């Protein structure tokens, strides 16, 4: 059942060659995606890469790690709550950029903030940029300017940094397309995190999709389409998640 679900999911979102790690919720999906990204780049490039950069208007889950790494200030009122983690660049929305007060909207070149954040850390230390294609919990459906996500992808690939799209909230037709990133061209991520649309509100289930170019670097094991990752095997003890996800994909289409 799980293998059939992985096949169907990848076809549904237009990434038919991807490998999949199944999880029990979106928060765990983010943690698994970060773990996979770190593992992949360390196998590929060496052990120094580990930083994961996020925006200052982001939400990536409700665990200690995902709260710390994201930019949701309400859930982290004290600096020490972040345990040394935290956002690295301003989101491309008016509330986070000073030029908005001057009557200017964000544009694609706001992605240069991502480049500066990577370069300030040293690209050799950065594993991935984790970003929501459309902002949800901390902003209310803020959309990036045209060309922004493409430019982020270009910046990251110029520096061998992975791009992770957190589509827990937006994936599986929740914005009208299979993935929210499909509203723009040229911004395909290396990893995609899905959850809410997969369980359709009936049960907690999630998935991390890994591009075919990167899946073989996952150490130690990639078996067929399934990716071995910490926490990702939990769905094996919850067959109800798979039973719900199958018809959810059919109904969504």
């Amino acid at each position: 059942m799980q293998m059939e679900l992985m096949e169907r999911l990848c076809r549904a979102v237009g990434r038919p060659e991807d490998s999949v790690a199944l999880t029990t919720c979106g928060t765990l999906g983010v943690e698994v995606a970060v773990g996979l990204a770190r593992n992949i780049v360390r196998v590929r490039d060496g052990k120094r890469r580990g930083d994961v950069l996020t925006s200052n208007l982001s939400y990536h889950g409700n665990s200690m790690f995902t709260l710390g790494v994201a930019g949701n200030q309400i859930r982290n009122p004290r600096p020490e709550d972040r345990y040394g983690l935290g956002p690295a660049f301003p989101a491309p929305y008016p509330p986070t950029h000073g030029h908005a007060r001057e009557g200017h909207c964000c544009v694609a070149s706001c992605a240069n903030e991502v480049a500066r954040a990577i370069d300030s850390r040293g690209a050799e230390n950065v594993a991935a940029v984790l970003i929501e294609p459309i902002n949800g919990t901390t902003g209310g459906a803020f959309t990036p300017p045209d060309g922004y996500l493409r430019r982020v992808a270009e910046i990251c690939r110029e520096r061998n940094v992975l791009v992770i799209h957190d589509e827990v909230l937006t994936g599986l037709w929740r914005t009208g397309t299979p993935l929210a990133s499909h509203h723009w061209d040229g911004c395909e991520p290396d990893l995609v995190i899905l959850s809410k649309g997969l369980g359709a509100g009936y049960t907690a289930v999630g998935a991390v999709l890994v591009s075919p170019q990167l899946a073989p670097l996952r150490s130690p094991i990639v078996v067929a389409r399934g990716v071995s990752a910490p926490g990702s095997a939990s769905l094996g003890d919850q067959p109800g998640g798979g039973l719900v996800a199958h018809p959810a994909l059919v109904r969504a289409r």
Side-chain angles (χ1 to χ4, degrees):
M1 180 178 65
Q2 290 185 9
M3 296 303 294
E4 183 182 348
L5 172 60
M6 293 174 189
E7 294 277 358
R8 182 178 290 182
L9 175 60
C10 291
R11 291 197 305 268
V13 299
R15 297 174 64 100
E17 302 301 319
D18 276 15
S19 295
V20 182
L22 294 173
T23 72
T24 52
C25 65
T27 294
L28 182 56
V30 172
E31 296 207 1
V32 166
V34 168
L36 285 169
R38 285 173 167 167
N39 190 302
I40 287 166
V41 297
R42 285 169 176 169
V43 168
R44 186 190 67 187
D45 302 324
K47 295 183 178 180
R48 292 186 62 181
R49 288 183 183 263
D51 292 359
V52 176
L53 309 188
T54 64
S55 83
N56 62 358
L57 194 67
S58 61
Y59 175 76
H60 296 294
N62 209 33
S63 69
M64 183 182 296
F65 170 76
T66 56
L67 285 174
V69 77
N72 191 305
Q73 300 299 321
I74 294 175
R75 291 174 171 83
N76 289 289
R78 305 178 307 160
E80 54 267 35
D81 292 339
R82 293 189 179 276
Y83 295 92
L85 303 170
F89 58 89
Y93 317 118
T96 69
H97 271 176
H99 60 225
R101 292 189 292 271
E102 302 169 2
H104 302 294
C105 295
C106 289
V107 295
S109 62
C110 289
N112 292 335
E113 299 280 4
V114 178
R116 281 190 280 272
I118 295 172
D119 293 343
S120 68
R121 302 282 185 101
E124 71 279 5
N125 297 312
V126 179
V129 168
L130 171 63
I131 193 168
E132 299 166 285
I134 295 177
N135 173 273
T137 301
T138 54
F142 286 141
T143 58
D146 287 343
Y148 177 84
L149 292 176
R150 179 201 290 265
R151 184 63 190 131
V152 169
E154 292 171 349
I155 287 167
C156 289
R157 286 176 186 137
E158 288 166 2
R159 293 161 174 78
N160 288 324
V161 171
L162 302 186
V163 178
I164 307 173
H165 280 183
D166 181 347
E167 296 233 22
V168 167
L169 185 65
T170 57
L172 295 170
W173 295 274
R174 297 185 107 209
T175 68
T177 55
L179 298 175
S181 62
H182 290 174
H183 290 289
W184 301 276
D185 294 329
C187 58
E188 293 77 10
D190 299 296
L191 296 92
V192 182
I193 310 159
L194 301 168
S195 181
K196 296 183 184 298
L198 191 58
Y202 291 102
T203 191
V205 59
V208 180
L209 278 59
V210 184
S211 71
Q213 294 80 15
L214 297 177
L217 295 173
R218 166 63 184 113
S219 176
I221 302 170
V222 176
V223 181
R225 183 174 293 276
V227 176
S228 172
S232 64
S234 300
L235 189 65
D237 298 324
Q238 298 192 21
L243 290 172
V244 168
H246 272 289
L249 287 173
V250 173
R251 286 196 301 272
R253 295 185 71 184

